[in-house]
Amino acid sequence: MKPSARKQAAALSYNPASEGAPVIKAKGKGLIADKIIESAKEHNIPIQEDPSLVELLGQLQINEAIPEDLYQAVAEVFAFVYQIDRRLDK
């Protein structure tokens, strides 16, 4: 398997009251990506697959705020999460 074909995952956190931008909370490839995804599922955290965004997020450091040029892509992820939350609350 080529390294670029390995599964990747990134976890984001956003608290508008204390953070200016979403922050990378976890990232990894292979087994670490599997653990991130498994943990999200165990905690009922929505998962969105976007390999190109994960590739970009993987270049950031843990606890690093996402750069402005990724705001639009990450906003789409959070919109997806909010839609799922609204559906589950009904």
Side-chain angles (χ1 to χ4, degrees), residues 58-70:
Q59 297 172 20
L60 303 175
Q61 298 301 312
I62 302 295
N63 293 321
E64 182 178 351
I66 63 157
E68 259 186 71
D69 57 338
L70 293 181

Side-chain angles (χ1 to χ4, degrees), residues 23-75:
V23 174
I24 300 293
K25 287 300 183 180
K27 65 176 188 166
K29 296 180 181 181
L31 293 175
I32 294 171
D34 290 339
K35 291 289 185 186
I36 292 168
I37 293 167
E38 179 182 316
S39 181
K41 288 178 180 177
E42 286 174 2
H43 293 93
N44 296 316
I45 297 170
I47 298 169
Q48 182 179 23
E49 293 187 33
D50 187 333
S52 58
L53 179 57
V54 171
E55 183 76 31
L56 293 170
L57 294 174
Q59 297 172 20
L60 303 175
Q61 298 301 312
I62 302 295
N63 293 321
E64 182 178 351
I66 63 157
E68 259 186 71
D69 57 338
L70 293 181
Y71 280 8
Q72 180 64 40
V74 171

